[in-house]
Every structure is written in C-alpha cells, then in structure tokens.
Amino acid sequence: MLVIRADLVDEILAHARRDHPDEACGVVAGPEGSDRPERFIPMLNAARSPTFYEFDSGDLLRLYRDMDSRDEVPVVIYHSHTATEAHPSRTDISYASEPETHYVLVSTRSPALLNGAEREFRSFRIVDGVVTEEDVEVVESYMFAHTGADDVPDNG
Ligand SMILES: [Zn+2]
C-alpha cells in the first residue's frame, strides 16, 4: 500500500495537467527505509512526448546524487498518461528497475481528468516485469508515522 499526503497527490496531478498533452514525470523522495514520500521533485520529460517519458540522464544523475547526500530514496516515481488509462505500459514495465518504488500513474485523457473534476491516481509495484496494483491511502499528514531524527523515542 502507498500512503501519501494529499498535498503531494495534488502536486502530481497539477504537474500532469500543466504538461498535458505531453507526459509529465517526476519523483517523490523520502528518507531511506521509511517508505514515506516527502519531497516532491517534478522532472523534465526529456522525450517531450504524449506517449513516452524519459528522464534526462544528466538530471537523473544530479537527482540521485542529491538524494544520496540526503539519505533519500525515490519512494514514488510518477508519470502521466495523456491518452490512456493510468496503468503501466509495456515500455513502462520494461524500464521499471526499482523494486522498492511505488510507481504512480495518473491520467489526463478526458476533459474531466484534465480540469480536475475527476482524478485517476493509481500506484503499482513492478518487480521483474510483474505489475501489481496496490491500494493508495491519501492522508493529511504522516503524524502517526513520524520518526524524524529529531524525535526522541521514549516509549520503547
Ligand atoms: Zn507510461
């Protein structure tokens, strides 16, 4: 299951609408081992295509260096489909290389999806070419899961 803050869901959907009719893509980074998406990082679709996305290799290198220096991982990798449903394509599946990552797909394929009247926001695990959809729980905050470095554990 993916647990994600509502403001991050809104950011992802807004990015998808902004880049339509091209596919939008990006990452939500979070502390290693937390499974908690925290830092929204919209990326450039270097393909600038309505049917395909790819991260620019230089951008990707900088992103991974930046995440490394913060002890972060790409908890969510998202992209949009602008003409089809929010489900990984064959190409998406073949490129998916992060078994720990939640692959989020959104769609802007209809006017209602494009203007925000409806939303399609789905999450998948992709491991060895096998796609498994998972539940998405949208929360206002991670307060019950918060275990930041400045927290002092006092109850065991
Ligand atoms: Zn795709």
Side-chain angles (χ1 to χ4, degrees):
M1 179 169 73
L2 170 64
V3 179
I4 185 168
R5 284 200 327 256
D7 63 296
L8 294 168
V9 172
D10 289 344
E11 294 265 36
I12 290 169
L13 290 166
H15 183 202
R17 290 196 284 268
R18 204 157 60 232
D19 281 15
H20 186 91
D22 288 345
E23 292 193 5
C25 57
V27 167
V28 188
E32 194 171 3
S34 71
D35 203 31
R36 199 170 64 229
E38 290 189 344
R39 194 161 66 91
F40 175 70
I41 309 164
M43 301 283 286
L44 187 70
N45 179 358
R48 292 205 175 267
S49 162
T51 56
F52 182 65
Y53 82 99
E54 62 183 350
F55 298 121
D56 174 82
S57 56
D59 286 354
L60 202 58
L61 188 63
R62 277 187 291 278
L63 170 67
Y64 272 80
R65 279 190 186 144
D66 185 38
M67 288 193 297
D68 272 354
S69 71
R70 298 164 180 256
D71 292 323
E72 287 176 341
V73 294
V75 178
V76 166
I77 296 176
Y78 71 87
H79 76 284
S80 64
H81 282 174
T82 59
T84 58
E85 68 170 324
H87 188 280
S89 68
R90 262 170 221 262
T91 311
D92 295 335
I93 296 164
S94 68
Y95 277 73
S97 58
E98 305 269 3
E100 302 296 319
T101 290
H102 304 270
Y103 285 92
V104 164
L105 274 286
V106 302
S107 179
T108 53
R109 73 185 183 285
S110 75
L113 289 166
L114 194 52
N115 70 22
E118 292 175 7
R119 52 174 57 185
E120 198 169 284
F121 186 102
R122 297 165 70 181
S123 183
F124 303 85
R125 295 286 189 162
I126 306 175
V127 182
D128 294 333
V130 177
V131 178
T132 309
E133 183 160 12
E134 60 183 358
D135 289 336
V136 177
E137 185 183 351
V138 180
V139 297
E140 288 307 311
S141 78
Y142 301 132
M143 58 188 283
F144 296 113
H146 185 67
T147 52
D150 51 351
D151 278 5
V152 179
D154 55 6
N155 54 0

